[in-house]
Amino acid sequence: MKPHFSLRLRVFNLNCWAWEEPAAPRLTAGPSSSDVRRVKNPSSHLLVPSVPRGIPYLSKHRADRMKRLGDFLNVESFDLALLEEVWSEQDFQYLRQKLLPTYPAAHYFRSGIIGSGLCVFSKHPIQEFTQHVYTLNGYPYMLHAEYNRQKDIYLAHRVAQAWELAHFIHHTSKKADMVLLCGDLNLHPKDLGFRLLKEWTGLHDAYLETQDFKGSEEGCTMVPENCYVNQQELEPFPCGIRIDYVLYKAVSGFCISCKTLKTTTGHDPHSGTPLSDHEALMATLCVRHSPPQHNPSPTHGPVERSPLISVLREACTELDLGVAQARWWATFASYVIGLGLLFLAVLSALVAEGGIREIAILLWTLSVGLVLGVGAVYLFHLQEAKGLCRARAELQHVLGRAREAQNLGPEFKPALFLEHQEGYRTEDQ
């Protein structure tokens, strides 16, 4: 950007998935990756994560919702339209043709068996793009992505993903003017993964920072008023949940502020039927040139009171538990494999001796299938343990550097801690 240059950036984000048939609307009293993509235009870096949750062909209203979504995006003419869980590439091609006059630049991110579901439409040229797949992506035998808030079996994976995403942002944003992170993070605002991501990267939450908010109560992006939402999942949350975000920050020599933020409120802005089970986010960001400001004598509290150090310690503890659990399952699976192989040896001996041949062959076949299945479980949890160990080692290293920096005082701060605690967090003005 040129000095004294200002830019208004209008951003739209929506997780497009919706389940099969709409349920009866619930009446309430009173006021609920992964994959990561990066797009670079002349003034920003764009990173959008998502966690897949379903199969496209289960949604019978998908074609109608895609049509209405395309009509809405053409009317509103945003600078960037970011969509998640567009599982059918045919839907992307349909939107691509429909939005071409308004959004000449577009890209669909392909990965895995059914794809990433991520796509971006932009008024501005896309200079480059890349895609990063998370090392850990949950458990393949767990088909549903929601989780129990009191006992989240995915917690260690979410923490590792948040840390991996933070590293991705750090390494890809050094030459950018701003960072924009949008999407369905499957994290509540007070979740450990979300706090780790914000503390390490210094990203600002548009809902908390905006000067003008209009939308659902508490900024929720899954609300009971939406007829596509599973009402039972929202019973603990009368107002809904907030798991979709617009996060941003300026990197160097610029400042960014969120002028307005809007969400849909359980229905299409132009008609009654929702576009998805998630609510859309529409943010207006203002980016302008600003000389970098430094605090010559920063003050920091004791090590135990540092928000960054506190969340790093909490993340390390959670990853410790995740590593222990992954190793337990791998050990258990190895014992089962051993017993299975022993059983196979006994059955082979029986077959060789000619006793109960038919039954032995049947049991042998079943045992081979069991050993192969348990072997796959063993390999998965072995890889899971290694991935969690790697994330834990990185977190422990950063935690040690951060503690050392605060113990030595500001004049001895390591460059790494300086970057993230001071210069890397540009204040919005």
Side-chain angles (χ1 to χ4, degrees):
M1 282 187 185
K2 298 178 180 180
H4 311 298
F5 181 81
S6 63
L7 170 71
R8 190 189 72 157
L9 193 65
R10 296 184 65 232
V11 180
F12 175 90
N13 182 84
L14 176 66
N15 181 325
C16 295
W17 178 263
W19 297 104
E20 295 185 24
E21 293 288 348
R26 177 182 177 185
L27 300 179
T28 57
S32 106
S33 323
S34 73
D35 296 334
V36 182
R37 65 190 181 203
R38 168 176 171 258
V39 178
K40 181 179 178 183
N41 65 34
S43 60
S44 67
H45 268 231
L46 171 67
L47 303 119
V48 186
S50 176
V51 181
R53 296 189 300 125
I55 301 173
Y57 306 105
L58 294 179
S59 180
K60 297 180 180 179
H61 302 136
R62 197 176 75 254
D64 174 67
R65 292 187 291 105
M66 289 295 126
K67 178 181 181 302
R68 290 187 288 111
L69 174 60
D71 292 338
F72 176 75
L73 292 178
N74 273 329
V75 169
E76 292 294 329
S77 188
F78 296 96
D79 291 288
L80 295 169
L82 316 172
L83 306 180
E84 299 97 53
E85 299 199 14
V86 181
W87 297 116
S88 170
E89 191 165 348
Q90 292 180 350
D91 288 339
F92 168 74
Q93 295 299 341
Y94 169 78
L95 290 173
R96 181 75 180 93
Q97 294 301 318
K98 191 178 185 69
L99 300 177
L100 186 59
T102 310
Y103 304 88
H107 184 71
Y108 186 76
F109 294 82
R110 299 167 178 84
S111 72
I113 298 176
I114 62 174
S116 70
L118 305 174
C119 57
V120 57
F121 298 90
S122 175
K123 278 185 177 181
H124 313 286
I126 299 175
Q127 292 186 355
E128 59 180 278
F129 53 82
T130 188
Q131 186 171 348
H132 175 78
V133 181
Y134 287 128
T135 303
L136 299 173
N137 284 289
Y139 303 100
Y141 47 82
M142 300 293 291
L143 298 180
H144 204 282
E146 294 302 325
Y147 54 90
N148 186 314
R149 299 293 297 157
Q150 283 69 43
K151 190 177 181 180
D152 181 10
I153 63 173
Y154 299 102
L155 183 54
H157 284 215
R158 297 185 196 278
V159 172
Q161 286 182 339
W163 179 247
E164 197 169 340
L165 175 58
H167 265 293
F168 183 86
I169 294 173
H170 170 61
H171 290 296
T172 60
S173 63
K174 293 179 179 179
K175 295 183 179 180
D177 297 324
M178 61 170 285
V179 173
L180 181 61
L181 172 63
C182 305
D184 171 14
L185 300 183
N186 259 335
L187 295 171
H188 293 226
K190 294 183 179 180
D191 283 356
L192 174 59
F194 187 74
R195 290 186 283 117
L196 175 63
L197 179 64
K198 282 191 63 179
E199 284 296 330
W200 184 245
T201 62
L203 288 166
H204 297 279
D205 187 344
Y207 171 71
L208 300 178
E209 303 289 338
T210 185
Q211 303 172 14
D212 179 15
F213 174 75
K214 295 179 182 178
S216 54
E217 186 176 357
E218 298 180 1
C220 293
T221 57
M222 293 191 76
V223 297
E225 291 80 11
N226 189 311
C227 60
Y228 286 114
V229 169
N230 186 329
Q231 302 297 332
Q232 291 183 344
E233 291 182 354
L234 288 186
E235 283 184 357
F237 311 98
C239 296
I241 59 177
R242 186 162 77 96
I243 58 176
D244 302 80
Y245 299 89
V246 173
L247 306 174
Y248 62 86
K249 73 171 181 178
V251 175
S252 177
F254 296 90
C255 63
I256 178 172
S257 59
C258 182
K259 297 300 183 183
T260 66
L261 178 67
K262 299 179 181 178
T263 71
T264 51
T265 55
H267 54 80
D268 187 307
H270 295 161
S271 66
T273 308
L275 293 173
S276 171
D277 60 343
H278 286 244
E279 304 306 316
L281 293 166
M282 295 159 278
T284 301
L285 306 175
C286 180
V287 185
R288 67 180 186 276
H289 180 268
S290 176
Q293 301 191 4
H294 302 281
N295 187 351
S297 57
T299 58
H300 300 278
V303 171
E304 293 76 16
R305 297 182 183 179
S306 165
L308 175 61
I309 291 181
S310 176
V311 74
L312 287 173
R313 291 174 60 183
E314 191 176 347
C316 287
T317 300
E318 190 55 48
L319 291 181
D320 283 338
L321 296 175
V323 170
Q325 178 175 297
R327 286 175 173 170
W328 186 92
W329 279 109
T331 302
F332 176 77
S334 67
Y335 287 148
V336 174
I337 292 172
L339 291 174
L341 293 175
L342 179 61
F343 187 57
L344 285 173
V346 172
L347 289 175
S348 299
L350 289 175
V351 172
E353 293 176 1
I356 55 174
R357 184 180 182 86
E358 292 77 10
I359 298 178
I361 291 176
L362 176 62
L363 292 176
W364 190 89
T365 303
L366 294 175
S367 299
V368 168
L370 176 63
V371 169
L372 291 176
V374 176
V377 172
Y378 169 78
L379 292 176
F380 171 80
H381 286 291
L382 187 64
Q383 181 183 14
E384 177 192 18
K386 290 181 178 179
L388 292 173
C389 282
R390 184 181 69 179
R392 181 184 63 180
E394 293 173 353
L395 280 166
Q396 288 174 340
H397 174 74
V398 172
L399 178 60
R401 294 287 299 275
R403 282 173 169 168
E404 179 185 359
Q406 286 204 346
N407 288 336
L408 291 176
E411 64 275 15
F412 296 104
K413 284 182 180 292
L416 175 67
F417 194 65
L418 257 177
E419 180 181 29
H420 286 87
Q421 284 289 86
E422 298 168 11
Y424 204 56
R425 296 186 180 184
T426 304
E427 292 294 332
D428 290 342
Q429 296 180 349

